[in-house]
Amino acid sequence: KMVDPTLAEMGKNLNEAMKMLEDNQRKVEEENEKKYARKDIPGPLQGSGQDMVSILQLVQNLIHGEEEEETSQSYRLQNVGEQGHMALLGHSLAAYISVLDRERLRKLTTRILSDTTLWLCRLFRYENGSAYYHEDDREGLLKICRLVIHTRYEDYTLEGFNVLCAKQPVIYISSAARAGLGQALCNQLGLPLSCMCRVPCNTMFGSQHQMDVALLDRLIKDDVEFGKLPLLLVANAGTPGAGHTDKLGRLKELCEQHKMWLHVEGVNLATLALGYVSSSVLAATKCDSMTLTLGSWLGLPAVPAVTLYRHEDPSLSLAAGLTSSQPVEKLRALPLWLSLQYLGHDGIVERIKHASQLSQRLLENLKNLDFIKTSVEDELSSPVVVFKFFQEYSNRDQTSHAAQASTIQHPIISNEGHIYDTFNQWLGEQLAQLVPASGVDVVELEDEGTCVRFSPLMTSAVLGTEIQDIDQLVDCLKMKIPVLTSTLQLREEFEQEVRRTVGLLYIEDLGWPGLGVVRYNYHSDGKNDDKQEKELEKINTELLKKLNELESDLTFSLGPEFGGQKNCVYIGMVTEDLDVSELVETIAATGREIEENSRLLENMTEVVRKGIQEAQLQLQKANEERLLEEGLLRQIPVVGSVLNWFSPFQASPKGRTFNLTAGSLESTESMYVSKAQGTGSTPPPTPTSSLAKQRLPGQKAFKRSLRSSDGLSETSSISHCDELDKLDQRPPNLSPGQEQGPLEMERAEEQKEVAQAKTDTEDMDSDKSPPDCTKVEDQASQR
């Protein structure tokens, strides 16, 4: 077949460029070493220019220069694939096609636009629809709102905002919609926020994320009575948080009754391409418009979103911006046109089906796990799985709970709710870090709190998620559940132990995922707050350092970088074999040891300072006494020398020594008499912690021993008695560890015979005569 040389060269250049950008695995280390090379410093443009290879090499350095810090972006680039190359080629072709002559450009863009629209309408079961291609996924809804305004306000083109003031339009959005959507629409349309009405979701019946249809009906009737015009309703086929679908059939009937436009968006719209579609999602095919985000569903980079709609008046669509007379505007569909042809119908369906199978695989495994609650609307075909860690029976409340359905029930007690939110936040971050290919993230829901969400339709095509990744995710979840349960059970015990311990202060931080937060209280002696705060910071910093030096499985830290308490020790997740009492006792003892050492050093510094002052006073006094004793004449230089020559003055040496232990000045006369320096009193021992319990070989700190305490005490008592028997059998003159020679053994035998004879004699005397108290006392004293 004949191929345009320009198109062939463009495809060849694109393949070479993508190969150069992606094939950098062998040069990662070299690029990291040259991260701050001089060639990366921006400079002026070269006069003669650079070739394409040099420019692409610079782009590669910019992409992979921060690879260690931004691993997720590099991972996404490695999974672009050939279908992504087709989408990128579409952008290059669009730039090339735009330079064609006007008539040829019009025919080509019309064909591309009509083909793409026809394929999408057939693929997603949307008959007789038109398509609008846009970069921002909110732009399609914005154009639909303008179309509805032009349709419902006949004089809007001439009168503008005057007709809107006469009859204010109202746009209804579910409270479960994505954040900021209503405000963005009002800002772009130039409408006040009062034109936006948020419809609450069901609170008594049905799903917690479905729009309340009865309440919506009342809101519409109230707005009509106040002279407002109900304009448009935005419904969800898969809420951004939990992936639930509104009652689209009833909402469509309500919109027809009040002549409103129904727009649907959500991730569940992707399942319309499958062979089996749930009735709730299938009702979306009857709506007035829907927005599809094919880029994330199929893993296609830089392809536009599509808004399918039905409207009979082309002039109003042109006025609203849904269609354009400019051929270049129609080239937005070119990347999608190429990608859809490359994947084909079966390839598109297979990708969406694979994502649904991943959700079902995870949901089946979650049903068999304890302490895991799921929030799934349709378990048979739900593409979004939301779950959280939740313990139904806590230690503090053993009362029976009502039977719960598959939906998550938020804890009644507010503190418990905050704790569960914190634990699930930690769980989601751990799972995302351990299994990055799963694409799980943390989501905040209004009723359930913090949950972990798995939405493969939004992530699997880009990350390349497979079944083994789901199995690995479940295995990691099984390892984290015992840690969460044990930490939750031991939190209260830790709090009670800390509150009972003198010197420790329990800090209640509901946002910390761990055992708890503790602070060692510094006992101030009338000091100002600034100095006390510095001492407190010094002691707790040293305490944290000492705890981290212990051989244990616990993690001690200063807490989160932002929002954490100061001068505290944060303890992370723990296991069930933790000895809480030993942990708290060790923290208190270590804190006291640090405080006593600090006070000892401070007191010694004060003692030395006072001792120096006292020594200066005594030296001054000694000089004055020496002057009085020697006389005034001896102080005159010439006279004093002559007088000392005729009559030498004999002065007794008087010295002083400073005792650091006693903190006092002492005389040195004893040194001159004994010709030796005295040792003085023994300094007090440095305070140390006596809580280092004996542990078995290989056993880490703060772990409960596998043996029972009774067994240990019994064993220790038996071994102690055996040791005493051995000491009794050793001769009295033999020290421990000294061996007995032949001579010592003979002497020991003789001593035993003499002692036995004395004992027999005393027994015979005691049998002949009654015991005398004085005689017994004398024998006792002799012994």
Coordinates of all heavy atoms in Angstrom, one line a residue, residues 637-707:
P637 N 59.8 46.2 100.7 CA 60.7 45.4 99.9 C 62.1 45.2 100.5 O 62.6 44.2 100.8 CB 60.7 46.1 98.6 CG 59.4 46.8 98.5 CD 59.1 47.2 99.8
V638 N 62.8 46.3 100.8 CA 64.2 46.3 101.3 C 64.2 45.9 102.7 O 65.0 45.0 103.2 CB 64.9 47.6 101.0 CG1 66.3 47.5 101.5 CG2 64.9 47.9 99.5
V639 N 63.4 46.6 103.5 CA 63.4 46.3 104.9 C 62.9 44.9 105.2 O 63.5 44.2 106.1 CB 62.5 47.3 105.6 CG1 62.4 47.1 107.2 CG2 63.0 48.8 105.4
G640 N 61.9 44.4 104.5 CA 61.4 43.1 104.8 C 62.5 42.0 104.5 O 62.6 41.0 105.2
S641 N 63.4 42.3 103.5 CA 64.4 41.3 103.2 C 65.5 41.2 104.3 O 65.9 40.2 104.7 CB 65.1 41.7 101.8 OG 64.2 41.7 100.8
V642 N 65.8 42.4 104.7 CA 66.8 42.4 105.8 C 66.3 41.8 107.1 O 66.9 41.1 107.8 CB 67.3 43.9 106.1 CG1 68.3 44.0 107.2 CG2 67.9 44.5 104.8
L643 N 65.0 42.2 107.4 CA 64.4 41.6 108.6 C 64.3 40.1 108.5 O 64.5 39.4 109.5 CB 63.1 42.3 108.8 CG 62.4 42.0 110.2 CD1 63.2 42.4 111.4 CD2 61.0 42.7 110.2
N644 N 63.9 39.6 107.4 CA 63.8 38.1 107.2 C 65.2 37.5 107.3 O 65.3 36.3 107.7 CB 63.1 37.8 105.9 CG 61.6 38.1 105.9 OD1 61.0 38.1 106.9 ND2 61.1 38.5 104.7
W645 N 66.3 38.2 106.9 CA 67.6 37.6 107.0 C 68.1 37.5 108.4 O 68.7 36.5 108.8 CB 68.6 38.5 106.2 CG 69.9 37.9 106.1 CD1 70.3 36.8 105.4 CD2 71.1 38.3 106.8 NE1 71.7 36.6 105.6 CE2 72.2 37.5 106.5 CE3 71.3 39.4 107.7 CZ2 73.5 37.7 107.0 CZ3 72.6 39.5 108.2 CH2 73.6 38.7 107.9
F646 N 67.8 38.5 109.2 CA 68.2 38.5 110.6 C 67.3 37.6 111.5 O 67.7 36.9 112.3 CB 68.2 39.9 111.2 CG 69.4 40.7 110.8 CD1 69.3 41.7 109.9 CD2 70.6 40.5 111.4 CE1 70.4 42.5 109.5 CE2 71.7 41.2 111.0 CZ 71.6 42.2 110.1
S647 N 65.9 37.7 111.2 CA 65.0 36.9 112.0 C 64.0 36.3 111.0 O 63.0 36.8 110.7 CB 64.2 37.9 113.0 OG 63.2 37.1 113.6
P648 N 64.3 35.1 110.6 CA 63.4 34.4 109.6 C 62.1 34.1 110.3 O 62.0 33.8 111.4 CB 64.2 33.1 109.3 CG 65.6 33.3 109.6 CD 65.6 34.3 110.8
F649 N 61.0 34.2 109.4 CA 59.7 34.0 109.9 C 59.2 32.6 109.5 O 59.3 32.2 108.3 CB 58.7 35.0 109.4 CG 57.3 34.9 109.8 CD1 56.9 35.2 111.1 CD2 56.4 34.3 108.9 CE1 55.6 35.1 111.5 CE2 55.1 34.1 109.3 CZ 54.7 34.5 110.6
Q650 N 58.9 31.8 110.4 CA 58.4 30.4 110.1 C 56.9 30.4 110.2 O 56.3 30.5 111.2 CB 59.0 29.4 111.2 CG 60.5 29.4 111.2 CD 61.1 28.8 109.9 OE1 60.4 28.0 109.2 NE2 62.3 29.1 109.6
A651 N 56.3 30.2 109.0 CA 54.8 30.2 108.9 C 54.4 28.7 108.6 O 54.9 28.1 107.7 CB 54.3 31.1 107.8
S652 N 53.4 28.3 109.3 CA 52.9 27.0 109.0 C 52.1 27.0 107.7 O 51.3 27.9 107.5 CB 52.0 26.5 110.2 OG 50.9 27.4 110.3
P653 N 52.3 25.9 106.9 CA 51.5 25.9 105.6 C 50.0 25.7 105.8 O 49.6 24.8 106.5 CB 52.1 24.8 104.8 CG 52.7 23.9 105.9 CD 53.1 24.8 107.0
K654 N 49.2 26.5 105.2 CA 47.8 26.4 105.3 C 47.2 26.3 103.9 O 47.4 27.3 103.1 CB 47.2 27.6 106.0 CG 47.6 27.7 107.5 CD 46.9 28.9 108.1 CE 47.3 29.0 109.6 NZ 46.7 30.2 110.2
G655 N 46.6 25.2 103.6 CA 46.1 25.0 102.3 C 44.6 24.6 102.3 O 44.1 24.3 103.4
R656 N 44.0 24.6 101.2 CA 42.5 24.2 101.1 C 42.4 23.3 99.9 O 43.0 23.5 98.9 CB 41.6 25.5 101.0 CG 41.6 26.4 102.1 CD 41.0 25.8 103.3 NE 40.9 26.8 104.4 CZ 41.8 27.0 105.3 NH1 42.9 26.3 105.3 NH2 41.6 27.9 106.3
T657 N 41.5 22.4 100.1 CA 41.1 21.5 99.0 C 39.6 21.5 98.8 O 38.9 21.6 99.9 CB 41.6 20.1 99.2 OG1 41.2 19.3 98.1 CG2 41.1 19.5 100.5
F658 N 39.1 21.5 97.6 CA 37.6 21.5 97.4 C 37.1 20.1 97.1 O 37.6 19.4 96.2 CB 37.3 22.4 96.2 CG 35.8 22.6 95.9 CD1 35.0 23.3 96.7 CD2 35.3 21.9 94.8 CE1 33.7 23.4 96.5 CE2 33.9 22.1 94.6 CZ 33.1 22.8 95.4
N659 N 36.2 19.6 98.0 CA 35.6 18.3 97.8 C 34.4 18.4 97.0 O 33.4 19.0 97.4 CB 35.3 17.7 99.2 CG 34.9 16.3 99.2 OD1 34.7 15.7 98.1 ND2 34.9 15.6 100.3
L660 N 34.4 17.8 95.7 CA 33.3 17.9 94.8 C 32.1 17.1 95.4 O 31.0 17.4 95.1 CB 33.7 17.3 93.5 CG 34.6 18.2 92.6 CD1 35.0 17.5 91.3 CD2 34.0 19.6 92.3
T661 N 32.4 16.0 96.1 CA 31.3 15.1 96.6 C 30.5 15.9 97.7 O 29.3 15.9 97.7 CB 31.9 13.8 97.1 OG1 32.6 13.2 96.1 CG2 30.8 12.9 97.6
A662 N 31.3 16.4 98.7 CA 30.6 17.1 99.8 C 30.2 18.6 99.4 O 29.4 19.2 100.0 CB 31.5 17.1 101.0
G663 N 30.9 19.1 98.4 CA 30.7 20.5 98.0 C 31.2 21.5 99.0 O 30.5 22.5 99.2
S664 N 32.3 21.2 99.7 CA 32.8 22.1 100.7 C 34.3 22.2 100.6 O 35.0 21.3 100.0 CB 32.4 21.6 102.1 OG 32.9 20.3 102.3
L665 N 34.9 23.3 101.2 CA 36.3 23.5 101.3 C 36.9 22.8 102.6 O 36.3 22.9 103.7 CB 36.7 24.9 101.4 CG 36.5 25.7 100.1 CD1 36.7 27.2 100.3 CD2 37.5 25.2 99.0
E666 N 38.0 22.0 102.4 CA 38.6 21.3 103.6 C 40.0 21.7 103.7 O 40.7 22.0 102.7 CB 38.4 19.8 103.4 CG 37.0 19.3 103.3 CD 36.9 17.8 103.0 OE1 38.0 17.2 102.8 OE2 35.7 17.3 103.0
S667 N 40.6 21.6 104.9 CA 42.0 21.9 105.2 C 42.9 20.8 104.6 O 42.5 19.6 104.6 CB 42.2 22.1 106.7 OG 43.5 22.3 106.9
T668 N 44.1 21.2 104.3 CA 45.1 20.2 103.8 C 46.1 19.8 104.8 O 47.2 19.3 104.5 CB 45.8 20.9 102.6 OG1 46.5 22.1 103.0 CG2 44.9 21.1 101.4
E669 N 45.9 20.2 106.1 CA 46.8 19.8 107.2 C 47.0 18.3 107.3 O 48.1 17.8 107.5 CB 46.3 20.3 108.5 CG 46.3 21.9 108.6 CD 45.8 22.4 109.9 OE1 45.6 21.5 110.8 OE2 45.8 23.6 110.1
S670 N 45.9 17.5 107.1 CA 46.0 16.1 107.1 C 46.9 15.5 106.1 O 47.6 14.5 106.3 CB 44.6 15.4 107.0 OG 44.0 15.8 105.8
M671 N 47.0 16.2 104.9 CA 47.9 15.8 103.8 C 49.3 15.9 104.2 O 50.2 15.1 103.9 CB 47.6 16.5 102.5 CG 46.2 16.3 102.0 SD 45.9 17.2 100.4 CE 44.2 16.9 100.2
Y672 N 49.6 17.1 104.9 CA 51.0 17.3 105.3 C 51.4 16.4 106.4 O 52.6 16.1 106.5 CB 51.2 18.8 105.7 CG 51.1 19.8 104.6 CD1 49.9 20.5 104.3 CD2 52.2 19.9 103.7 CE1 49.8 21.4 103.3 CE2 52.1 20.8 102.6 CZ 50.9 21.5 102.4 OH 50.8 22.4 101.4
V673 N 50.5 16.0 107.2 CA 50.8 15.1 108.3 C 51.0 13.7 107.9 O 52.0 13.0 108.2 CB 49.7 15.2 109.4 CG1 50.0 14.1 110.5 CG2 49.7 16.6 110.1
S674 N 50.1 13.2 107.0 CA 50.1 11.8 106.6 C 50.9 11.6 105.3 O 51.1 10.5 104.9 CB 48.7 11.3 106.4 OG 48.1 12.0 105.4
K675 N 51.4 12.7 104.7 CA 52.2 12.7 103.4 C 51.4 12.0 102.3 O 52.0 11.4 101.4 CB 53.5 11.9 103.6 CG 54.4 12.5 104.7 CD 54.9 13.9 104.4 CE 55.8 14.4 105.5 NZ 56.3 15.7 105.2
A676 N 50.1 12.0 102.4 CA 49.2 11.3 101.3 C 47.9 12.1 101.2 O 47.4 12.7 102.2 CB 49.0 9.9 101.7
Q677 N 47.3 12.0 100.1 CA 46.0 12.6 99.8 C 44.9 11.7 100.2 O 44.9 10.5 99.8 CB 45.9 13.0 98.4 CG 44.6 13.8 98.1 CD 44.5 14.2 96.6 OE1 45.5 14.0 95.9 NE2 43.5 14.9 96.3
G678 N 43.9 12.2 101.0 CA 42.8 11.4 101.4 C 41.8 11.1 100.3 O 41.7 11.9 99.4
T679 N 41.2 10.0 100.4 CA 40.2 9.6 99.4 C 38.9 10.3 99.6 O 38.1 10.5 98.6 CB 40.0 8.1 99.4 OG1 39.6 7.7 100.7 CG2 41.3 7.4 99.0
G680 N 38.6 10.7 100.8 CA 37.3 11.3 101.0 C 36.2 10.3 101.0 O 36.4 9.1 101.0
S681 N 35.0 10.9 101.0 CA 33.8 10.0 101.0 C 33.5 9.5 99.6 O 33.9 10.1 98.6 CB 32.6 10.8 101.5 OG 32.4 11.9 100.7
T682 N 32.8 8.4 99.5 CA 32.5 7.8 98.2 C 31.4 8.6 97.6 O 30.4 8.9 98.2 CB 32.1 6.4 98.4 OG1 33.1 5.7 99.1 CG2 31.8 5.7 97.1
P683 N 31.5 9.0 96.3 CA 30.4 9.7 95.6 C 29.2 8.9 95.5 O 29.3 7.7 95.4 CB 31.0 10.1 94.3 CG 32.1 9.1 94.0 CD 32.6 8.7 95.4
P684 N 28.1 9.5 95.5 CA 26.8 8.8 95.3 C 26.8 8.1 94.0 O 27.3 8.6 93.0 CB 25.7 9.8 95.5 CG 26.4 11.1 95.1 CD 27.8 11.0 95.5
P685 N 26.1 6.9 93.9 CA 26.1 6.3 92.6 C 25.1 7.0 91.6 O 24.2 7.7 92.1 CB 25.5 4.9 93.0 CG 24.8 5.1 94.2 CD 25.5 6.2 95.0
T686 N 25.4 6.8 90.4 CA 24.6 7.5 89.4 C 23.3 6.7 89.3 O 23.2 5.5 89.2 CB 25.3 7.4 88.0 OG1 26.5 8.0 88.1 CG2 24.4 8.1 86.9
P687 N 22.2 7.4 89.3 CA 20.9 6.7 89.3 C 20.7 6.0 88.0 O 20.9 6.6 86.9 CB 19.8 7.9 89.5 CG 20.6 9.1 89.0 CD 22.0 8.9 89.4
T688 N 20.3 4.8 88.1 CA 20.0 4.0 86.9 C 18.7 3.3 87.0 O 18.2 3.2 88.2 CB 21.1 2.9 86.7 OG1 21.2 2.1 87.8 CG2 22.4 3.6 86.4
S689 N 18.1 2.8 85.9 CA 16.9 2.2 86.0 C 17.1 0.7 86.4 O 17.9 0.0 85.9 CB 16.2 2.2 84.6 OG 15.0 1.5 84.6
S690 N 16.3 0.2 87.3 CA 16.3 -1.1 87.8 C 15.2 -2.0 87.2 O 14.8 -3.0 87.8 CB 16.3 -1.2 89.3 OG 15.1 -0.6 89.7
L691 N 14.7 -1.6 86.0 CA 13.5 -2.2 85.5 C 13.9 -3.2 84.3 O 13.0 -3.7 83.6 CB 12.5 -1.2 85.0 CG 12.0 -0.3 86.1 CD1 11.1 0.8 85.5 CD2 11.2 -1.1 87.1
A692 N 15.2 -3.3 84.1 CA 15.6 -4.2 83.0 C 15.3 -5.7 83.4 O 16.1 -6.3 84.1 CB 17.1 -4.0 82.6
K693 N 14.2 -6.2 83.0 CA 13.8 -7.5 83.4 C 14.7 -8.5 82.5 O 15.1 -8.3 81.4 CB 12.3 -7.7 83.1 CG 11.5 -6.8 83.9 CD 10.0 -7.1 83.7 CE 9.1 -6.2 84.6 NZ 7.7 -6.5 84.4
Q694 N 14.8 -9.7 83.2 CA 15.6 -10.7 82.5 C 14.7 -11.3 81.4 O 13.5 -11.7 81.6 CB 16.0 -11.8 83.5 CG 16.9 -11.4 84.5 CD 17.4 -12.5 85.5 OE1 16.8 -13.6 85.3 NE2 18.3 -12.2 86.3
R695 N 15.3 -11.4 80.2 CA 14.5 -11.9 79.0 C 15.2 -13.1 78.5 O 16.4 -13.3 78.6 CB 14.5 -10.8 77.9 CG 13.7 -9.5 78.3 CD 13.5 -8.7 77.1 NE 14.7 -8.1 76.6 CZ 15.2 -7.0 77.0 NH1 14.6 -6.3 77.9 NH2 16.4 -6.6 76.5
L696 N 14.4 -13.9 77.9 CA 14.9 -15.1 77.2 C 15.8 -14.8 76.0 O 15.7 -13.7 75.5 CB 13.7 -16.0 76.8 CG 12.8 -16.5 77.9 CD1 11.6 -17.3 77.3 CD2 13.6 -17.4 78.9
P697 N 16.6 -15.7 75.6 CA 17.5 -15.4 74.4 C 16.6 -15.1 73.2 O 15.8 -15.9 72.9 CB 18.3 -16.7 74.3 CG 18.3 -17.3 75.7 CD 17.0 -17.0 76.3
G698 N 16.9 -14.0 72.5 CA 16.1 -13.6 71.4 C 14.9 -12.9 71.6 O 14.2 -12.4 70.7
Q699 N 14.5 -12.8 72.9 CA 13.2 -12.1 73.2 C 13.5 -10.6 73.3 O 14.4 -10.1 74.0 CB 12.7 -12.6 74.6 CG 11.3 -11.9 74.9 CD 10.8 -12.4 76.3 OE1 11.5 -13.2 76.9 NE2 9.7 -11.9 76.7
K700 N 12.7 -9.8 72.6 CA 12.8 -8.3 72.6 C 12.1 -7.7 73.8 O 11.4 -8.3 74.5 CB 12.3 -7.8 71.3 CG 13.1 -8.2 70.1 CD 12.7 -7.5 68.8 CE 13.6 -8.0 67.6 NZ 13.2 -7.3 66.4
A701 N 12.4 -6.4 73.9 CA 11.9 -5.7 75.1 C 10.3 -5.5 74.9 O 9.8 -5.5 73.8 CB 12.5 -4.3 75.2
F702 N 9.7 -5.4 76.1 CA 8.2 -5.2 76.2 C 7.4 -6.3 75.6 O 6.3 -6.1 75.2 CB 7.8 -3.9 75.5 CG 8.7 -2.7 75.8 CD1 9.3 -2.0 74.8 CD2 9.0 -2.4 77.1 CE1 10.1 -0.9 75.0 CE2 9.8 -1.3 77.3 CZ 10.4 -0.6 76.3
K703 N 8.0 -7.5 75.6 CA 7.2 -8.7 75.2 C 6.9 -9.6 76.3 O 7.7 -9.8 77.2 CB 8.1 -9.5 74.1 CG 8.4 -8.7 72.9 CD 7.1 -8.6 72.0 CE 7.5 -7.9 70.7 NZ 6.3 -7.7 69.8
R704 N 5.7 -10.1 76.3 CA 5.3 -11.0 77.4 C 6.0 -12.4 77.2 O 6.2 -12.9 76.1 CB 3.8 -11.3 77.4 CG 3.0 -10.1 77.8 CD 1.5 -10.6 78.0 NE 0.7 -9.4 78.4 CZ -0.1 -8.8 77.6 NH1 -0.1 -9.1 76.3 NH2 -0.8 -7.8 78.0
S705 N 6.5 -13.0 78.3 CA 7.3 -14.2 78.2 C 6.3 -15.3 77.9 O 5.1 -15.3 78.3 CB 8.0 -14.5 79.5 OG 8.7 -15.8 79.4
L706 N 6.8 -16.4 77.2 CA 5.9 -17.5 76.8 C 5.6 -18.4 78.0 O 4.6 -19.0 78.1 CB 6.6 -18.3 75.7 CG 6.9 -17.6 74.4 CD1 7.6 -18.5 73.4 CD2 5.6 -17.1 73.8
R707 N 6.5 -18.4 79.0 CA 6.3 -19.2 80.2 C 5.4 -18.4 81.1 O 5.4 -17.2 81.2 CB 7.6 -19.5 80.9 CG 8.6 -20.3 80.0 CD 9.9 -20.6 80.8 NE 10.8 -21.3 80.0 CZ 12.0 -21.6 80.4 NH1 12.4 -21.3 81.6 NH2 12.9 -22.3 79.6

